[in-house]
Amino acid sequence: MRSRPTPRVLVAIAVSGLLLGAAGCTSSGPDTSRPRLAKASADTVTVADASDAAARSVRVSKALFASAPGAVVARAGDTDGVRDAAKAAASAHVPVLLTTKNKSAAVARELDRLGADWYQAEGDVSVDTDVEQRKASEGGDAPESNRASRQATVVVADASADAAAVATAKAAGAKLVTMPEGVTDPAAAPDVVTALHERRQHQTVLVGAAFDALQDPEWTVRAAEGGFQLRNGGQRPFDGHRYVALYGAPGAPALGVLGEQGPEATVQRAEQVAKPYRAESDELVTPAMEVIATVAAGDAGADGDYSTELPVSTLEPYVDAAHDADMPVIIDLQPGRSDFLSQAKKYESLLKKPGVWLALDPEWRLTEDQVPLEQIGSVSASEVNEVSSWLASLVEKEGLPPKALVLHQFRLSMIQDRDALKTHPELDMLVHVDGQGSQPDKQATWKALHQGAPEGLHWGWKNFTDEDTPMLTPSQTMQDVQPTPSLVTYQ
């Protein structure tokens, strides 16, 4: 039996026939007739991802309500009962709780936590509780809120599977957002990202068994609250997006088409190169840039690493022009005798920006006795993992949207122990097959690299304007290269 507030009453104390004192206090305890919203800071993220709807209904009630005069209870799986419960809860502004067959203990505990005086049962429901079972009063007061208990944003993976949680959210006055069908990552849902950004001063509740797959829900929500979206919507680089990019180094036409013009002209040229792909693609096509930040050199240089590191100031005009045009930029590293992580950290200021991604080119990752163009380099999975862990940590720490990590490869030996590559929720990893020459040779390389590749990798293809014999047209690229690449670059 719950303890309840006891009203204070007028007390008269007589000693020797004299009235010595009287207490005229008529104040009362908390008003239990009106629901109160749970207190939560704006950065609070609650995930109701249990495998059964009953557990999720209780979790959502706890997240949204600090107290309520009552609740409406139905049995999980009883569609009619849940529907009727939702109507009653909406009118009374109280939660909907679900029981499962022969299991009502969680509901009883939640009624006790809410301080409920009653519960209404819909359908075949039995709850072992001292709380009175009766019909809810119509037209109850809306939940009381204050600065510490603003209405939440509730993101639901499947509104039909969580009809009870949806009803509770509505009763609490929450902003309700439903994920697109078949999409389980908020970063891949443009409308969800927009809603979380607009309501970044409110707590977030994620509801649905599908959200169990989210490895870092707090970062996912924080990144969405930042508001950045790719040109065609969403934040996940390769989820429903395809890119056509110009490759090269600023001011170096010999290294690729990007270096044949300045930043603004590169944007215009990238738009024109990407345009024919839109008619051929079943996914939205966005132009992009891949800018070589460290260029493998024929001489050792002052630091002896056979790699020329361009200053950040040289790359910034390209990054800024791409940002203004809603284009992603890929920072490409050719480390020579240096290592990828050391070079990546030199460009941390750029990688802290949304839409700036990273590429590692193992062809130019050399040992102490190798020289560019004399040997083809390689990288171990452990070194790639060091970079991916650092980059993922940067994304998480800064609350950035997901980034792409591109690995160039045209020989199996270029990425050693490829099966040992680690994945991170903050990164989409893509293998960019960038061999040049005849189309039969390129297709053979493409197929060979796909064999035995780790699951979850995305794939890219490079068209060489001078070295390919012949270079594929956009239509041929989309039809002949299978599976269809998520990234096509031009060098």
Side-chain angles (χ1 to χ4, degrees):
M1 181 71 70
R2 296 176 317 288
S3 62
R4 301 180 185 276
T6 302
R8 300 175 184 175
V9 295
L10 181 66
V11 180
I13 304 176
V15 178
S16 301
L18 298 175
L19 184 65
L20 296 181
C25 179
T26 58
S27 66
S28 62
D31 181 7
T32 60
S33 66
R34 184 176 184 181
R36 289 187 300 114
L37 296 179
K39 294 181 180 180
S41 60
D43 59 357
T44 299
V45 178
T46 302
V47 186
D49 59 357
S51 58
D52 64 283
R56 296 196 296 272
S57 73
V58 172
R59 187 72 186 92
V60 173
S61 175
K62 290 180 178 179
L64 299 182
F65 283 90
S67 66
V72 186
V73 183
R75 182 168 53 84
D78 179 1
T79 303
D80 292 339
V82 174
R83 183 190 63 241
D84 292 341
K87 291 180 181 178
S91 177
H93 298 287
V94 297
V96 175
L97 305 175
L98 300 182
T99 65
T100 55
K101 188 175 182 180
N102 301 322
K103 293 182 179 180
S104 64
V107 170
R109 289 192 296 270
E110 180 59 7
L111 289 171
D112 191 59
R113 186 197 69 82
L114 289 167
D117 295 313
W118 55 264
Y119 76 92
Q120 175 176 324
E122 290 291 345
D124 183 15
V125 170
S126 177
V127 183
D128 184 11
T129 178
D130 294 328
V131 177
E132 177 186 2
Q133 178 183 337
R134 65 173 174 81
K135 194 172 182 62
S137 302
E138 294 185 4
D141 292 331
E144 183 179 10
S145 64
N146 54 45
R147 292 184 64 183
S149 60
R150 298 173 181 174
Q151 285 89 349
T153 305
V154 177
V155 182
V156 183
D158 184 339
S160 61
D162 278 295
V166 168
T168 297
K170 291 179 178 179
K175 168 70 174 180
L176 189 65
V177 185
T178 303
M179 292 286 292
E181 185 176 357
V183 179
T184 59
D185 184 353
D191 290 345
V192 176
V193 173
T194 298
L196 292 174
H197 172 61
E198 291 176 347
R199 293 179 58 82
R200 55 193 176 276
Q201 299 302 322
H202 299 255
Q203 70 150 320
T204 301
V205 182
L206 304 177
V207 185
F211 289 130
D212 181 59
L214 287 181
Q215 297 181 47
D216 192 343
E218 289 77 14
W219 159 74
T220 299
V221 170
R222 193 154 51 97
E225 289 174 344
F228 172 85
Q229 296 203 48
L230 298 163
R231 175 185 291 195
N232 291 311
Q235 297 183 323
R236 182 62 64 182
F238 299 118
D239 198 319
H241 300 274
R242 179 169 285 116
Y243 303 91
V244 177
L246 300 186
Y247 175 93
L255 297 180
V257 295
L258 180 141
E260 294 177 357
Q261 62 281 307
E264 287 73 21
T266 296
V267 166
Q268 296 173 7
R269 186 172 179 180
E271 293 278 8
Q272 293 303 311
V273 173
K275 188 175 181 179
Y277 281 86
R278 297 192 175 108
E280 307 288 340
S281 176
D282 58 352
E283 293 183 310
L284 299 169
V285 175
T286 301
M289 301 183 194
E290 184 168 358
V291 185
I292 308 173
T294 63
V295 184
D299 59 82
D303 55 9
D305 65 4
Y306 287 87
S307 178
T308 300
E309 292 129 359
L310 300 183
V312 169
S313 60
T314 299
L315 306 181
E316 280 178 329
Y318 289 84
V319 171
D320 292 343
H323 176 78
D324 292 343
D326 287 332
M327 293 183 184
V329 177
I330 306 168
I331 303 296
D332 185 69
L333 305 180
Q334 300 178 359
R337 293 182 181 177
S338 182
D339 64 274
F340 283 118
L341 182 57
S342 297
Q343 288 200 335
K345 289 181 176 180
K346 296 179 185 294
Y347 301 97
E348 181 175 338
S349 62
L350 296 178
L351 292 167
K352 282 184 176 180
K353 298 182 179 183
V356 179
W357 303 338
L358 184 64
L360 314 181
D361 198 341
E363 178 184 1
W364 311 105
R365 173 62 173 97
L366 307 175
T367 62
E368 292 302 317
D369 59 351
Q370 291 180 323
V371 176
L373 297 178
E374 294 186 12
Q375 295 90 15
I376 293 175
S378 65
V379 67
S380 65
S382 62
E383 183 173 338
V384 175
N385 291 339
E386 288 179 353
V387 177
S388 66
S389 294
W390 171 80
L391 185 60
S393 177
L394 181 69
V395 171
E396 191 278 332
K397 181 178 65 175
E398 298 293 328
L400 297 169
K403 290 186 181 292
L405 177 61
V406 177
L407 308 178
H408 288 275
Q409 185 179 24
F410 57 86
R411 288 186 180 181
L412 285 169
S413 60
M414 287 172 59
I415 302 177
Q416 301 164 7
D417 303 317
R418 191 171 61 171
D419 288 343
L421 291 173
K422 293 181 180 179
T423 60
H424 302 269
E426 298 86 358
L427 306 177
D428 280 3
M429 190 173 292
L430 178 141
V431 173
H432 193 274
V433 183
D434 58 349
Q436 58 181 277
S438 71
Q439 290 305 319
D441 287 346
K442 294 187 66 163
Q443 287 285 353
T445 299
W446 177 261
K447 293 175 182 177
L449 292 178
H450 275 75
Q451 292 179 1
E455 293 184 2
L457 289 176
H458 303 273
W459 294 86
W461 173 272
K462 180 174 285 188
N463 284 324
F464 287 83
T465 58
D466 296 327
E467 292 82 0
D468 283 353
T469 54
M471 186 184 77
L472 298 181
T473 65
S475 178
Q476 291 170 331
T477 302
M478 298 300 292
Q479 293 176 18
D480 297 350
V481 183
Q482 297 296 325
T484 310
S486 297
L487 171 66
V488 178
T489 59
Y490 281 81
Q491 180 173 345

